[in-house]
Amino acid sequence: MAEKKRPRRTRERILETSLELFNRCGESHITTADIAGEMNISPGNLYYHFRNKDDIIGELWSAYEARVLPLVVDPGERRVDVEDLWLLLHLLFEHMWAYRFLYRDLDEIASRNRRVGTRVGALLRHSEATMIELCRGMVAAGSMDATESEIAAVARNVVLVSTYWMSFHRLCHTARGDDAGIDLGRGAYQVLALIAPFLVGDARALLDRLSRDYL
């Protein structure tokens, strides 16, 4: 006999519903009453699990962070090439898109919810440090030619562009809606374009091939 699927708990359903509404409408336009109404539960039932909307956002940030942190790791002795960076950026943008409300309203959320804001800052700094190590590895492998100061600038620009690329895309396509024509591969290309001037030999040729569809 097939095992019955465990019914989702109310707490899980609140998080799933909140994520869907936040992504669709923007976090600032959704209240806890909207979430409860969408679920056909009483506000009191929602408040039993979460004290307020910021608690829900904090829980969603934890879920997002759990997806992203395993990707943003120091490669150590492992050799890194352009294909590794391409895959990493694709995966990161997929997770960012799944929790896109965080990046749509990032400054406002981080200012209002200090605990989440602290964790956002820590993740950005961690990502920047990891990117520095990735670039150093490529320099050591002879596929990248850059000084330490250039690596530091590129790493910061990579994190900066990655963080705000979806907002840029949304603003450029406001008339067609938030989800219109999103191409996460294009985001990966825009980020790798920051590194392209420093790539040499086969690494540059490989990037040119990978990015051909986005030129």
Side-chain angles (χ1 to χ4, degrees), residues 171-192:
L171 291 169
C172 288
H173 298 85
T174 299
R176 294 190 292 163
D178 181 34
D179 295 349
I182 188 72
D183 185 345
L184 302 181
R186 178 74 193 195
Y189 165 72
Q190 292 298 152
V191 173
L192 281 178

Side-chain angles (χ1 to χ4, degrees), residues 69-174:
L69 281 177
L71 299 175
V72 191
V73 293
D74 189 329
E77 297 300 318
R78 183 175 66 85
R79 181 170 178 173
V80 178
D81 60 24
V82 172
E83 284 185 300
D84 291 318
L85 292 180
W86 187 265
L87 176 60
L88 171 62
L89 289 167
H90 269 273
L91 293 174
L92 287 174
F93 274 120
E94 285 176 7
H95 294 317
M96 291 168 70
W97 181 251
Y99 290 80
R100 57 191 173 276
F101 84 92
L102 290 166
Y103 288 88
R104 177 176 178 172
D105 303 310
L106 186 60
D107 292 346
E108 198 277 330
I109 290 173
S111 298
R112 187 185 71 233
N113 190 323
R114 293 302 179 88
R115 185 177 179 184
V116 169
T118 298
R119 293 169 68 184
V120 170
L123 179 60
L124 294 177
R125 290 190 296 273
H126 178 68
S127 300
E128 185 177 342
T130 299
M131 192 65 214
I132 287 174
E133 293 306 316
L134 290 171
C135 289
R136 285 173 175 166
M138 294 181 70
V139 168
S143 57
M144 185 174 180
D145 183 12
T147 65
E148 277 294 307
S149 61
E150 288 171 335
I151 287 173
V154 166
R156 175 153 293 190
N157 286 338
V158 163
V159 175
L160 175 62
V161 173
S162 299
T163 300
Y164 291 103
W165 180 78
M166 287 190 297
S167 292
F168 174 81
H169 177 275
R170 179 171 55 84
L171 291 169
C172 288
H173 298 85
T174 299

Side-chain angles (χ1 to χ4, degrees), residues 56 144 205 214:
I56 296 173
M144 185 174 180
Y214 303 102

